[in-house]
Amino acid sequence: MSHTAGIRQAQKLKTRQTLLDAALGLLEHQSLSSLGLREVTRTAGVTPTAFYRHFDDIASLGVALVEQTLGSLHGMIGAILAETGDSEVRLDRSVDLIARHVREQPAHFRFIAREQHGGVGPVREAIAAQLRLFAEEVAAALADEPESRGWHEEDLLMLGGLYVDHMVITASAMLDAGPDGDTQVARTARRRLRLVTLGRLHWLDAPSPDAGS
Amino acid sequence: MSHTAGIRQAQKLKTRQTLLDAALGLLEHQSLSSLGLREVTRTAGVTPTAFYRHFDDIASLGVALVEQTLGSLHGMIGAILAETGDSEVRLDRSVDLIARHVREQPAHFRFIAREQHGGVGPVREAIAAQLRLFAEEVAAALADEPESRGWHEEDLLMLGGLYVDHMVITASAMLDAGPDGDTQVARTARRRLRLVTLGRLHWLDAPSPDAGS
DNA sequence: TGTACATCAGTGAACGCGCGTTCACTGATGTAC
DNA sequence: TGTACATCAGTGAACGCGCGTTCACTGATGTAC
């Protein structure tokens, strides 16, 4: 049986997490492809060889980091989608929520923004897959709203992707702006969202050019 | 005087360009921060030490690459903005133009997308500065259109930035999709642009929440 | 035009260094009886 | 509960390798007279 904690297993997981945390910290000022195995283990306080007990190489540590990092953001997406009330208020709250998360865990957002188009293939693919899931989640939530009556599924997915991409862009812009520029970035982000929302409300007014083909 | 070609200077510029081209080629499959000086000179066919006759280090080669790469894209922005006619047609043409440029010089777009949030500070800043310029160019062009009557300058800049960001996102998505997925990406990109354009047309219908403060 | 000297882009050898990976190991944890 | 053996997370020494950077150099190009 294995219902006990398992001291060995617990220690192993702890070391693994230490390695992931060390890597995430280092990645705040460099990209994954320039991150060294020895650099990570040095920061984590373990021997270089210990690394191989947990990951094949830096790339697979990167993939694990993607899953952990974007997993922690699922809660955020949920919170945004659960918002109700006036659309203007919801919009403000969404931007505030992103801003708060970015301030609370900047390293996570920095990592995703940096590696989304970075030099490590498997990591890029892992991020793309997760963001696609997010877009689908958002699309599904949008589908339940009255404003989405009559929308094609493809268009809902397009809109979901638009929102997710803008979430990433906004987060990244906030990181670049620093704590002082936050307000201005949030202000612009809110306007962009408002414009997209306006487009959404008038989507069905316009004839769809390729509806018949 | 120096109105003559200057054989020495011409040769130096040629070598410099060879280094830049070699680097751009290598950057198709890795990021700048993992690019080695020796790797570049080996590909360019010169001695490692020759590198220092042209650049202080890899980072400053990166900055030079940004200027050259985004310089070549100014023409594209101009071409898109010069389009006239039905808004639906303009929109299609814009996406086609991006698609063509991405197919013709994938390495340039890949480099910008990758290093926009990459690990090399000076390069990140150079890209951000250039994209800001692009956004201002677009905003200025939008200001001349009848649809922009009554718009605040700040909102025009917001819209310009929105278009530029989407250009980058679209280009990046096309690179990821490869030649087969191009059509689908272009299709989604067109819909996103249409939605943004719809939002634009109804921007002044809605009351601006912070107009009075 | 011809000569004598200066410049300087690119060379080639050399350096010290940190890297990723291997290997045999140690000792705490887990398991069978 | 106690003992004897198995497992395996983490150690520490060692390796070969490519890196960025230095230095004195060479020889074609540029310049002054």
Side-chain angles (χ1 to χ4, degrees), chain B residues 92-206:
Chain B
D92 286 357
R93 291 238 181 99
S94 302
V95 173
D96 289 348
L97 220 71
I98 295 175
R100 205 176 67 223
H101 273 82
V102 169
R103 247 179 275 121
E104 277 169 10
Q105 25 187 326
H108 286 197
F109 285 89
R110 181 98 59 183
F111 171 63
I112 296 302
R114 188 157 286 170
E115 302 304 330
Q116 190 186 4
H117 306 290
V120 183
V123 170
R124 241 176 18 237
E125 286 155 24
I127 293 177
Q130 289 282 341
L131 291 185
R132 212 176 303 125
L133 280 181
F134 280 1
E136 283 165 15
E137 274 181 52
V138 174
L142 290 173
D144 290 339
E145 298 182 346
E147 293 93 332
S148 303
R149 221 186 297 278
W151 276 56
H152 294 153
E153 199 185 315
E154 185 187 4
D155 290 337
L156 283 170
L157 204 54
M158 176 275 289
L159 186 56
L162 196 56
Y163 280 129
V164 170
D165 282 352
H166 270 285
M167 194 192 73
V168 175
I169 287 181
T170 301
S172 177
M174 281 176 175
L175 287 167
D176 290 348
D180 298 337
D182 252 28
T183 323
Q184 181 56 39
V185 171
R187 185 182 159 91
T188 301
R190 246 179 271 123
R191 291 181 178 224
R192 285 187 174 197
L193 274 184
R194 196 182 316 134
L195 191 133
V196 168
T197 301
L198 279 173
R200 182 191 177 195
L201 294 179
H202 293 91
W203 184 248
L204 294 180
D205 300 352

Side-chain angles (χ1 to χ4, degrees), chain A residues 80 85-95 138 142 145-148 151 158-160 162-163 166 188-205, chain B residues 158-159 162 166 192 194-203 205-206 209:
Chain A
I80 289 180
D86 176 57
S87 83
E88 191 67 44
V89 173
R90 288 179 62 189
L91 198 144
D92 286 356
R93 290 237 181 100
S94 301
V95 173
V138 174
L142 291 173
E145 298 181 347
E147 293 93 332
S148 302
W151 277 56
M158 176 274 289
L159 185 57
L162 195 57
Y163 280 128
H166 270 285
T188 301
R190 246 178 272 123
R191 291 181 179 224
R192 286 187 174 197
L193 274 183
R194 194 183 318 134
L195 191 132
V196 168
T197 302
L198 279 173
R200 183 191 176 194
L201 295 178
H202 294 89
W203 184 248
L204 294 180
D205 301 352
Chain B
M158 176 275 289
L159 186 56
L162 196 56
H166 270 285
R192 285 187 174 197
R194 196 182 316 134
L195 191 133
V196 168
T197 301
L198 279 173
R200 182 191 177 195
L201 294 179
H202 293 91
W203 184 248
D205 300 352

